[in-house]
Amino acid sequence: METLCERRAHQPWMEVFDGVEFAALRMWQSDTYLTADEDGRSVHHVSLRGVASHSAVWAVEKRLAAGTPPRRYLLFRGAYGRYLGAREDHEGCYAFCPLRTGSLVATQRDRDQEEVDAIMWRALACSGSDVFEHHDARGVVLLHDRSGRYLRGNKNLLGCRHSVSIDDNLNAERTLRWEVLPIPTLDRPELPFATNPDLAETLDRSASSTSGQRREIRYVKADDAGNFSEEEGDWTSFQFTSRSVQILREELANRVEYEVTLCVRAGRHGHLTPLLINLPRSEETLHIVVLRRNSAADEQLKFPNPARPVSSSPSLRDAFKSTASASASKRNRRNKLFLAYGYLAAAALSSSSPSHATPRSDHNMEEGYLHSPSGPSRRHFRMLGSLRGMEVFEDVVFARLRSYECGTYLHADEDGRSVYHGSLALASHNAVWAVERRLVASGDGDGDGDGAAPTLHLLFRGAYGRFLGGPDARDGDGNGERRCRLLKVTQRDRDAEEVDAIMWRAIACGRWDVFEEHDARGVTILRDRSGRYLRGNKGFLSCRRSVSVDGNANKEATLLWELVRVPPSLGRPQLPFATEADLGVTVCLPTRRREIRYVRADDEGNIVGSWESFPFKGKSVRILRDSVVRRVLLNTPASERPQLGENFTLCVRAGLHGHLSPLLINLPRSLEALNVVLLRENSTADNELIFPDVDALPDQPSFE
């Protein structure tokens, strides 16, 4: 009797792609992925080895071709905007074979005409009872172009990149089978970080007009609806030396004078594709359509999330159970599937198991346990932090910043100005930073962003109310000779509304071997508004290592910072008790004093009255609070004192535009004047204060 597989063999199966906007195509026989090569033209199928890559994601376009009745076709558009198809030089390829069984090389093609047979595909059902798809696959299909040829993944025993060809021969059908993995969409991914060679090429370009290979960039500005001119005279061109898409975006943003999204277009009829990876190695001319950030056309763009393929089954455990009940001929393939995704299954099972349960280490696939009881290895986590930037800081109120290379924490030094990274022996407020967010108008910082959307920046406020930042940038600090200068990072006052040196952006790092520790939210690179990076330096002879900023991306490991979330405290922390040194009296020599400037705020947090000052000796915050409260009450009319009470919260303010920070630790060693503001306890402003819980356990990891 004819089986279902035999009846459906080689029949259209286009519904596999229904609702699919982005897909990865996995070779059924070898578990390798169809990839658009970095040369911009070649196509291979390679092993991703657990690394998510935009090069292995294809945008799926649907098209109805003329006919009676019209036929549905698929077009697969790669990361460079070009389409999967055969080369046009078929005469030479087929000349030696009268039966037309010669193979054409698959390539990434421009779409210069409305309909190109070589890039228009139909999905066909495959034959054979041995076919089943992985748990994350939508189906297993053959891809057949409009010219009657099949997409074939060849084997190359001597190389890690296997060639892909197109021919009309159905022999060796296993090499024609492709698994369809739907890829979900993402809000807006961060562009890859510019690597050392990219920055070196940029420096060479500024130093010499002839150094380095250059490519022509032709670009045109689109209006807010996405319309742009096709006339050659309306396109602008320039020479560009580098492969970094980050540097190219900054170059074009400077030319058009607003924040942009870069889209590539391959051929006159090619669709716009957001450029999310570095430029191809080839030096072909690249056609860029510039969209204004947050315009209507920009908001309609969709971005793939290659790190998370969509699972087609209800749960991983069900997938393993159904696989285990298959015939013995599928056992080897099941084991390969289990090894690749076993750690995800263990995570899914752990959510429904008691916390004290110990995972078994047997090989029973029906139970869905890992081979190793130790759980996921380090390499399984390498993608968790490397693809994220500003979203790492979403909903974070307080954070510790840990050096990825050294495992040390960024501290606000007790001198009140210095910053260092050192070990965290005890819970310390000096290693906790309040995270402020600020939207800054795009442009030169004067508030006129030329209509462009504002950019989100981060400010890190330390225990003394001062902000993390380097010295103000001078002309040339981000380019040329000065970019390599190490500038010391300090705790800075905020005397202006916008200070470029204390405003930071989190950038996804460019290394694939990066993973975060179990208590880290993500691994990022911090770059200030002046284009300089926060670097944790090494000091072999000191336990407290310096921190600097510079415009050089060398030694990227020293630029990586892990975000460790610190939860808000449910109560109000106790102030440290005064020590004997704070209470003692010096007889021989007069004690040096610092100036304390103080003022009281009303219940809404608005400053009342004028600033007063007095000299203060010692470092005790508890004694300082009592001294300031006593002076405030003495200057308050007796009739108003009962309403004020005697309990106040002492806050510091660093600079005219600094935010109020509760002073929870003793005063810094330096004798700089300190500006403090008193808030009445349980007032509206006081109740809005948030305190960090430095003793709380770190967040546990999430496997979702």
Side-chain angles (χ1 to χ4, degrees):
M1 180 180 294
E2 188 180 32
T3 65
L4 177 62
C5 291
E6 291 171 343
R7 288 198 304 269
R8 292 207 58 177
H10 308 155
Q11 297 300 312
W13 197 18
M14 297 290 286
E15 56 267 27
V16 171
F17 287 93
D18 287 348
V20 176
E21 296 176 307
F22 298 97
L25 297 175
R26 182 167 57 202
M27 187 69 194
W28 183 85
Q29 187 178 31
S30 57
D31 281 341
T32 50
Y33 292 80
L34 190 70
T35 303
D37 194 82
E38 290 185 357
D39 63 7
R41 288 295 180 182
S42 303
V43 175
H44 298 93
H45 62 101
V46 301
S47 173
L48 296 183
R49 303 184 184 277
V51 176
S53 171
H54 283 284
S55 300
V57 176
W58 300 84
V60 181
E61 298 180 18
K62 282 91 172 176
R63 178 171 179 80
L64 277 177
T68 307
R71 270 193 166 188
R72 290 174 58 197
Y73 285 93
L74 304 168
L75 287 80
F76 298 101
R77 179 163 36 88
Y80 297 116
R82 298 182 175 123
Y83 292 82
L84 175 67
R87 289 182 178 175
E88 295 180 348
D89 53 352
H90 56 273
E91 293 83 0
C93 292
Y94 284 134
F96 65 91
C97 184
L99 297 178
R100 295 180 61 84
T101 57
S103 295
L104 295 173
V105 177
T107 186
Q108 305 171 56
R109 289 193 51 169
D110 295 338
R111 186 181 175 188
D112 294 314
Q113 299 176 1
E114 188 71 22
E115 292 188 0
V116 181
D117 291 350
I119 66 173
M120 300 170 65
W121 300 90
R122 283 181 63 79
L124 307 180
C126 54
S127 64
S129 58
D130 61 333
V131 174
F132 70 98
E133 62 263 18
H134 285 181
H135 74 277
D136 54 352
R138 188 78 176 271
V140 182
V141 298
L142 311 181
L143 292 176
H144 185 252
D145 71 6
R146 199 179 183 188
S147 301
R149 301 168 301 193
Y150 298 92
L151 185 69
R152 185 184 303 275
N154 304 304
K155 282 190 174 182
N156 181 6
L157 299 179
L158 299 179
C160 59
R161 299 193 307 174
H162 307 285
S163 64
V164 180
S165 60
I166 299 173
D167 60 69
D168 55 3
N169 189 356
L170 266 175
N171 291 335
E173 185 188 304
R174 287 172 175 265
T175 61
L176 303 178
R177 296 172 181 170
W178 299 93
E179 291 183 285
V180 181
L181 280 71
I183 301 296
T185 56
L186 188 67
D187 289 339
R188 186 183 295 272
E190 293 282 349
L191 296 183
F193 178 66
T195 60
N196 300 339
D198 296 324
L199 296 172
E201 287 175 356
T202 305
L203 290 177
D204 290 341
R205 179 184 60 181
S206 62
S208 172
S209 60
T210 60
S211 62
Q213 299 294 323
R214 296 170 178 261
R215 81 180 78 217
E216 181 184 10
I217 301 294
R218 304 192 73 249
Y219 73 94
V220 66
K221 294 189 290 185
D223 60 21
D224 288 351
N227 303 313
F228 56 91
S229 173
E230 298 283 357
E231 299 296 330
E232 289 289 329
D234 294 330
W235 289 68
T236 307
S237 66
F238 64 94
Q239 299 296 314
F240 184 71
T241 303
S242 178
R243 289 186 55 208
S244 171
V245 63
Q246 185 83 262
I247 297 176
L248 177 60
R249 185 184 66 175
E250 293 176 0
E251 174 73 23
L252 287 171
N254 291 333
R255 288 174 178 266
V256 300
E257 298 182 342
Y258 52 77
E259 287 295 317
V260 300
T261 298
L262 304 187
C263 293
V264 286
R265 191 186 70 160
R268 190 175 184 86
H269 294 276
H271 284 196
L272 296 186
T273 303
L275 188 57
L276 305 176
I277 60 176
N278 287 330
L279 278 58
R281 292 193 304 267
S282 67
E283 295 169 6
E284 287 187 79
T285 299
L286 211 60
H287 294 80
I288 303 290
V289 177
V290 179
L291 300 181
R292 184 188 294 269
R293 182 67 66 88
N294 295 330
S295 64
D298 180 68
E299 293 291 342
Q300 292 177 0
L301 293 177
K302 295 183 179 180
F303 306 91
N305 183 6
R308 298 191 64 180
V310 175
S311 175
S312 61
S313 57
S315 69
L316 297 180
R317 182 167 185 161
D318 293 340
F320 283 119
K321 284 186 175 181
S322 62
T323 305
S325 62
S327 62
S329 62
K330 305 173 187 176
R331 187 169 294 119
N332 291 336
R333 188 162 178 81
R334 284 204 315 268
N335 291 338
K336 185 183 295 185
L337 168 66
F338 178 76
L339 289 174
Y341 295 96
Y343 70 97
L344 290 178
L349 290 173
S350 65
S351 62
S352 60
S353 303
S355 58
H356 60 272
T358 302
R360 294 166 52 186
S361 58
D362 57 21
H363 298 263
N364 186 351
M365 294 189 60
E366 291 189 0
E367 295 298 323
Y369 292 107
L370 283 172
H371 285 269
S372 170
S374 61
S377 64
R378 290 165 68 102
R379 67 184 180 88
H380 292 145
F381 292 97
R382 60 186 170 185
M383 286 301 300
L384 292 180
S386 60
L387 292 181
R388 298 177 293 182
M390 291 293 287
E391 61 267 27
V392 170
F393 286 90
E394 289 181 359
D395 303 324
V396 175
V397 181
F398 299 102
R400 293 187 180 99
L401 296 174
R402 181 169 57 205
S403 170
Y404 173 80
E405 184 178 36
C406 304
T408 49
Y409 292 82
L410 194 69
H411 284 71
D413 193 82
E414 292 183 359
D415 64 7
R417 288 296 180 183
S418 302
V419 174
Y420 69 94
H421 64 103
S423 59
L424 189 67
L426 298 173
S428 170
H429 284 281
N430 294 76
V432 176
W433 300 85
V435 181
E436 297 182 16
R437 294 161 183 82
R438 179 169 178 79
L439 283 174
V440 181
S442 301
D444 56 5
D446 58 0
D448 183 11
D450 195 23
T455 304
L456 181 66
H457 285 78
L458 304 170
L459 288 81
F460 299 100
R461 179 163 38 87
Y464 299 115
R466 297 182 174 123
F467 294 83
L468 177 70
D472 290 332
R474 295 182 293 172
D475 293 340
D477 274 354
N479 299 288
E481 297 178 357
R482 292 184 185 171
R483 73 178 303 120
C484 298
R485 294 178 56 200
L486 298 180
L487 303 174
K488 188 176 180 180
V489 172
T490 60
Q491 305 171 54
R492 292 195 48 170
D493 295 338
R494 187 181 175 188
D495 293 315
E497 187 72 21
E498 293 183 2
V499 182
D500 291 350
I502 66 172
M503 301 169 67
W504 301 90
R505 292 272 299 169
I507 303 173
C509 55
R511 293 172 47 174
W512 294 111
D513 60 340
V514 169
F515 69 98
E516 63 251 22
E517 298 292 345
H518 72 280
D519 57 347
R521 183 79 177 272
V523 181
T524 63
I525 293 171
L526 294 175
R527 183 174 66 180
D528 68 11
R529 200 180 180 198
S530 302
R532 304 171 301 185
Y533 303 97
L534 185 69
R535 185 185 303 277
N537 303 306
K538 286 186 176 181
F540 295 102
L541 301 179
S542 174
C543 59
R544 302 198 306 176
R545 300 161 182 169
S546 65
V547 181
S548 60
V549 289
D550 60 75
N552 190 358
N554 288 334
K555 299 180 181 178
E556 184 184 315
T558 62
L559 304 179
L560 303 181
W561 298 94
E562 290 182 284
L563 168 66
V564 180
R565 181 203 291 264
V566 177
S569 175
L570 298 178
R572 186 184 299 268
Q574 292 292 325
L575 297 182
F577 288 102
T579 63
E580 293 182 3
D582 297 319
L583 298 172
V585 178
T586 303
V587 178
C588 299
L589 295 174
T591 304
R592 299 180 63 189
R593 299 169 181 261
R594 80 182 79 214
E595 181 186 11
I596 300 296
R597 301 183 69 248
Y598 69 94
V599 72
R600 183 175 67 85
D602 61 17
D603 288 354
E604 303 301 324
N606 302 312
I607 292 178
V608 177
S610 58
W611 290 80
E612 304 287 343
S613 66
F614 68 95
F616 179 77
K617 67 178 181 180
K619 291 176 53 183
S620 173
V621 62
R622 188 180 288 267
I623 295 177
L624 174 63
R625 184 192 61 179
D626 295 342
S627 299
V628 175
V629 169
R630 185 168 57 252
R631 282 174 165 78
V632 167
L633 292 178
L634 287 176
N635 295 331
T636 302
S639 59
E640 298 179 9
R641 291 177 189 173
Q643 298 177 357
L644 289 179
E646 297 182 354
N647 296 322
F648 290 85
T649 300
L650 189 67
C651 296
V652 287
R653 191 184 73 167
L656 186 62
H657 295 275
H659 285 191
L660 296 184
S661 298
L663 188 56
L664 304 176
I665 59 176
N666 286 329
L667 278 58
R669 292 193 304 267
S670 67
L671 299 178
E672 284 189 82
L674 207 63
N675 297 316
V676 298
V677 179
L678 276 186
L679 296 179
R680 186 176 64 84
E681 278 196 11
N682 297 324
S683 64
T684 302
D686 181 71
N687 290 333
E688 291 177 352
L689 294 177
I690 303 176
F691 305 91
D693 187 356
V694 295
D695 297 314
L697 294 175
D699 293 342
Q700 295 303 312
S702 172
F703 289 88
E704 296 180 356

